[in-house]
């Protein structure tokens, strides 16, 4: 495939790259990678391989490594290039830059310098996992990686216990077993959860069930590939239809149906659309 190289305006371009299947890249992402004056990457080898697969030549353009161990000096040099009128495309090892990714520091530096920062959207492990998890997607909280130590991890989980959002975590394959056990112990084994692994790849796997069931499924397994772990919002398992109906009946005494549904959904930690449908049913019965 040949790409027409079009001049880009000076600025920082965060380019989303595939999380597994190379063909998931967008046409705009390929255009930006073909046209940028400088390519910055979390992993330069992965970036070169991806560009090679899609026939995007690097030619004599600089390919700069920018990762967790890069110092502020590297970010400063890239920002200076943008200030000099250059376009810089940044790619993470996989997925959308800035999401649990070292691109954050580079973006902050560019914004602090008053320079344009543009998103070239595409694949994201967190959004892909939400799509297939079977858990509520109308409100979710992206937590990313939890602390390494067991005590800090459990404290963080406890702080998230009562949030009325689906919780989205990233975890390494080496720690996922322990992390699932911590989630079960702190949040309770009855809460629904899902573990998504190797998304978009040949051995894609999604394990769904209660935290008890999911933790048991991974208890004696050795897995590969980073995992996305999702946990249902607080109250999602304990609230019965009678509870919803009673709360709506009280709220609808003083509120419109839509407003009552919003208030009850927020209070009980349930999807707004689900509660609204119950409210409409109550109206029809009355």
């Amino acid at each position: 495939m040949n790409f027409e190289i079009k001049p880009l305006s000076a600025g920082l371009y965060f380019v989303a790259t595939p999380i597994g299947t190379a063909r998931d890249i967008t046409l705009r992402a390929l255009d930006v990678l073909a046209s940028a004056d400088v390519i910055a990457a979390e992993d330069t080898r992965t970036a070169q391989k991806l560009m090679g697969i899609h026939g995007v030549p690097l030619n004599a353009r600089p390919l700069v490594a920018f990762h967790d161990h890069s110092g502020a000096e590297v970010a400063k040099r890239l920002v200076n290039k943008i200030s000099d009128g250059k376009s810089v495309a940044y790619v993470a090892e996989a997925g959308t830059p800035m999401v649990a990714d070292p691109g954050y520091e580079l973006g902050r530096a560019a914004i602090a310098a008053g320079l344009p920062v543009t998103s070239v959207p595409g694949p994201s492990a967190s959004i892909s996992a939400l799509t297939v998890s079977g858990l509520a997607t109308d409100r979710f909280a992206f937590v990313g990686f939890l602390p390494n130590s067991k005590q800090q991890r459990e404290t963080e989980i406890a702080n998230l216990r009562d949030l009325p959002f689906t919780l989205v975590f990233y975890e390494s394959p080496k720690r996922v077993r322990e992390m699932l056990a911590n989630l079960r112990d702190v949040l309770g084994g009855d809460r629904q959860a899902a573990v998504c692994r190797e998304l978009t790849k040949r051995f894609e796997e999604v394990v769904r069930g209660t935290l008890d069931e999911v933790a048991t499924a991974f208890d004696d397994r050795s897995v590969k590939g980073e995992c996305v772990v999702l946990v249902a919002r607080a109250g999602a398992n304990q609230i019965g239809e009678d509870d919803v109906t009673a709360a709506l009946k009280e709220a609808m005494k003083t509120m419109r149906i839509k407003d009552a549904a919003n208030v009850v959904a927020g209070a009980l930690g349930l999807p707004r659309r689900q509660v609204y449908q119950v409210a409409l049913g109550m109206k029809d019965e009355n």
Side-chain angles (χ1 to χ4, degrees):
M1 185 181 293
N2 294 320
F3 296 92
E4 181 182 355
I5 299 177
K6 301 177 181 179
L8 292 174
S9 301
L12 174 60
Y13 295 79
F14 283 120
V15 182
T17 54
I19 59 176
T21 301
R23 290 181 65 83
D24 283 342
I25 197 165
T26 68
L27 294 176
R28 182 176 172 226
L30 293 174
D31 287 340
V32 171
L33 289 175
S35 303
D37 297 312
V38 178
I39 307 294
E42 181 182 7
D43 187 319
T44 56
R45 294 168 298 179
T46 301
Q48 282 187 293
K49 181 179 179 180
L50 180 66
M51 292 169 68
I53 289 172
H54 293 289
V56 178
L58 182 61
N59 296 328
R61 294 181 294 165
L63 177 60
V64 181
F66 188 84
H67 44 69
D68 284 325
H69 304 293
S70 299
E73 188 60 33
V74 180
K76 183 178 179 181
R77 288 201 299 269
L78 290 169
V79 167
N80 287 340
K81 287 184 181 294
I82 300 171
S83 298
D84 292 339
K86 302 294 185 182
S87 55
V88 175
Y90 178 77
V91 294
E93 185 174 2
T96 299
M98 295 286 282
V99 180
D101 175 79
Y104 172 77
E105 296 298 337
L106 181 57
R108 291 284 297 172
I111 291 169
L115 299 170
V117 177
T118 302
S119 173
V120 183
S124 167
S126 55
I127 300 301
S128 299
L130 273 166
T131 303
V132 299
S133 68
L135 302 177
T137 60
D138 58 334
R139 291 192 296 174
F140 61 91
F142 176 73
V143 183
F145 289 96
L146 289 169
N148 289 327
S149 79
K150 181 177 184 292
Q151 182 176 351
Q152 288 180 318
R153 191 161 57 242
E154 290 186 339
T155 299
E156 178 97 356
I157 293 170
N159 290 334
L160 301 168
R161 179 190 291 120
D162 299 323
L163 289 183
F165 312 111
T166 297
L167 304 176
V168 184
F169 304 90
Y170 284 170
E171 191 52 274
S172 74
K174 294 180 179 179
R175 293 197 318 171
V176 69
R177 181 172 63 88
E178 184 179 357
M179 182 249 204
L180 288 169
N182 296 150
L183 288 170
R184 177 198 60 205
D185 294 344
V186 177
L187 300 180
D190 292 336
R191 198 180 292 204
Q192 291 292 312
V195 177
C196 304
R197 189 179 67 82
E198 298 284 87
L199 289 173
T200 78
K201 300 178 184 178
R202 180 181 177 185
F203 298 107
E204 175 176 317
E205 179 185 34
V206 181
V207 179
R208 305 177 184 91
T210 64
L211 277 172
D212 260 338
E213 294 166 339
V214 174
T216 299
F218 282 85
D219 192 40
D220 58 354
R221 288 186 57 188
S222 175
V223 299
K224 295 182 179 180
E226 283 191 355
C227 303
V228 184
V229 178
L230 306 99
V231 180
R233 63 187 60 178
N237 298 322
Q238 292 79 26
I239 304 301
E241 187 173 340
D242 291 343
D243 298 314
V244 178
T245 302
L248 281 171
K249 185 176 181 180
E250 188 64 28
M252 288 166 62
K253 290 179 181 178
T254 56
M255 300 181 190
R256 296 180 303 168
I257 290 178
K258 185 176 181 180
D259 294 334
N262 286 339
V263 169
V264 171
L268 300 183
L270 295 172
R272 281 171 286 184
R273 181 175 297 180
Q274 174 187 333
V275 176
Y276 184 59
Q277 292 301 318
V278 174
L280 288 178
M282 291 172 61
K283 177 188 175 185
D284 292 340
E285 289 176 3
N286 293 331

